[in-house]
Amino acid sequence: MNILVIGGSNFIGWRLVEILSESGHNVTVINRGNHPRTYSQNVVHRVADRNDYAKMTEIVEGKSFDVVFDMCGFAKDDMKHTVDLFGNRTGKYVFMSTAATYLEPLAMPIPEDFPQGSHGVWGKYGSGKLDCEQVLLSAYKESGFPAVIVRPSYVYGVGNSIDRETFLFDRITKNRKVLIPGDGEAVIQLGEVSDLCAALLTIAETPKGYGESYNISGNEFITLNSLVRIVAKIVGKDYEAVHVNPADYGFVDRDVFPFDNVSYVTSCKKFSDEFGWTPQVSLSAGLSAAYEAWSNSEQRLSTSYEKEDSVLAKI
């Protein structure tokens, strides 16, 4: 297949490019070149800002793609030219959205038809992604634009550019106290990056899903407290947990911990039923692989303990 990836240089996008390439597809990647990568022979890399319509038109002029993966659309402006540019150039347009588009649930897991809007915790990120969804799904209804929406939950794994599991690896290996917001009993759901990209490959290779939205994540649910315990077991060290209310110190939960103390779990049954997909990587196995990669890496995410230390100093 001839596949275009918009983005494709950072974490999920980069893993997707690797999997598409390994599967023998011809891949074109368009991004701003901010994250230098070495691409395989069957991958063509072009540098452009997605909002530079003239440059984007120049790159795709005379070309057609079986599938386009949009990994970086974030706001309505990002979709400004998308429908015009790719309406006659692709058989399927897969947009990477987020479960953060859903409003606060009264019951879980959250299905795809749950009300969407500006969540009190996720804020502008979810709202921006929702704006993109609405542009694409409106185009599907009006003209048959072949949009497919994907809504993952928290994504983790080797190469994560967001300080989530690596945050815990760092604190526990350094024998630092781990601040956990509230009671730490919020239930969350994580999806491993290769599992997610395998699901995206399935979407590319299966002629269905047009005009639909799909939750895609792991099938294990875990509390913040249990997540720290699992990481500590993988690291092989004891740790001291300190439960705090970050707001008492002028902070929000993610100032002192990688996840909010907010329960958020989605149902992935729709995607599993329609595409026959199930996650293959257990949470323990995914975290273990991520820890091994982190341990052997000389390039780690920069971290600061200033906020944590200021809280600990006042306890």
Side-chain angles (χ1 to χ4, degrees):
M1 298 177 72
N2 194 23
I3 298 176
L4 171 64
V5 180
I6 304 174
S9 66
N10 192 24
F11 190 34
I12 302 173
W14 173 242
R15 185 68 190 113
L16 175 62
V17 170
E18 288 184 316
I19 285 179
L20 293 174
S21 173
E22 291 163 2
S23 300
H25 297 294
N26 296 314
V27 184
T28 300
V29 178
I30 302 176
N31 55 48
R32 293 175 294 180
N34 292 338
H35 302 278
R37 296 285 191 178
T38 300
Y39 295 93
S40 301
Q41 287 187 336
N42 58 338
V43 178
V44 175
H45 177 221
R46 301 297 301 273
V47 177
D49 187 312
R50 64 174 299 138
N51 289 316
D52 185 340
Y53 187 60
K55 183 65 175 178
M56 289 290 289
T57 301
E58 175 189 325
I59 290 174
V60 303
E61 192 67 39
K63 297 181 176 63
S64 63
F65 304 95
D66 297 297
V67 181
V68 173
F69 284 103
D70 185 344
M71 307 302 292
C72 59
F74 172 70
K76 187 176 292 186
D77 284 349
D78 292 342
M79 297 295 111
K80 189 174 181 180
H81 308 296
T82 292
V83 175
D84 289 340
L85 191 59
F86 293 105
N88 296 315
R89 289 190 173 97
T90 186
K92 182 176 283 188
Y93 194 95
V94 184
F95 175 65
M96 180 61 65
S97 186
T98 172
T101 62
Y102 296 118
L103 293 172
E104 292 87 342
L106 296 176
M108 294 181 288
I110 303 168
E112 285 84 352
D113 59 358
F114 189 81
Q116 295 173 280
S118 181
H119 189 286
V121 173
W122 322 132
K124 291 182 179 179
Y125 176 69
S127 297
K129 287 288 191 179
L130 179 55
D131 286 344
C132 294
E133 284 192 22
Q134 291 172 342
V135 170
L136 295 172
L137 293 177
S138 293
Y140 170 76
K141 292 177 182 178
E142 293 170 4
S143 64
F145 185 78
V148 181
I149 308 300
V150 173
R151 298 176 187 147
S153 302
Y154 295 118
V155 183
Y156 78 99
V158 176
N160 197 350
S161 56
I162 300 176
D163 202 14
R164 286 176 175 158
E165 63 273 24
T166 53
F167 179 104
L168 297 175
F169 297 157
D170 177 77
R171 271 67 178 177
I172 294 173
T173 57
K174 292 179 179 176
N175 298 310
R176 289 185 58 85
K177 294 178 180 179
V178 179
L179 300 186
I180 301 177
D183 62 4
E185 287 300 302
V187 179
I188 63 172
Q189 172 188 36
L190 292 86
E192 198 272 337
V193 63
S194 292
D195 261 345
L196 171 59
C197 291
L200 296 177
L201 177 61
T202 299
I203 293 174
E205 296 178 339
T206 309
K208 61 170 67 174
Y210 306 101
E212 298 291 339
S213 302
Y214 298 100
N215 297 329
I216 300 178
S217 192
N219 57 9
E220 297 170 87
F221 309 147
I222 190 168
T223 66
L224 305 188
N225 292 326
S226 294
L227 176 62
V228 178
R229 285 195 289 270
I230 288 177
V231 171
K233 184 177 180 180
I234 290 169
V235 171
K237 283 196 170 188
D238 292 328
Y239 68 97
E240 180 180 350
V242 179
H243 290 269
V244 298
N245 180 10
D248 292 342
Y249 305 92
F251 299 128
V252 297
D253 290 0
R254 293 200 200 191
D255 285 329
V256 299
F257 193 79
F259 303 96
D260 293 282
N261 191 39
V262 175
S263 293
Y264 217 67
V265 171
T266 64
S267 170
C268 302
K269 184 177 185 303
K270 177 181 175 181
F271 184 71
S272 293
D273 286 349
E274 293 187 19
F275 285 85
W277 173 90
T278 55
Q280 299 298 304
V281 183
S282 70
L283 183 59
S284 179
L287 288 171
S288 294
Y291 176 64
E292 181 178 1
W294 178 84
S295 298
N296 294 326
S297 176
E298 296 181 358
Q299 295 181 336
R300 298 181 179 178
L301 298 175
S302 60
T303 190
S304 171
Y305 310 115
E306 182 178 352
K307 293 176 181 177
E308 297 161 64
D309 287 343
S310 70
V311 172
L312 289 168
K314 296 175 182 176
I315 295 177

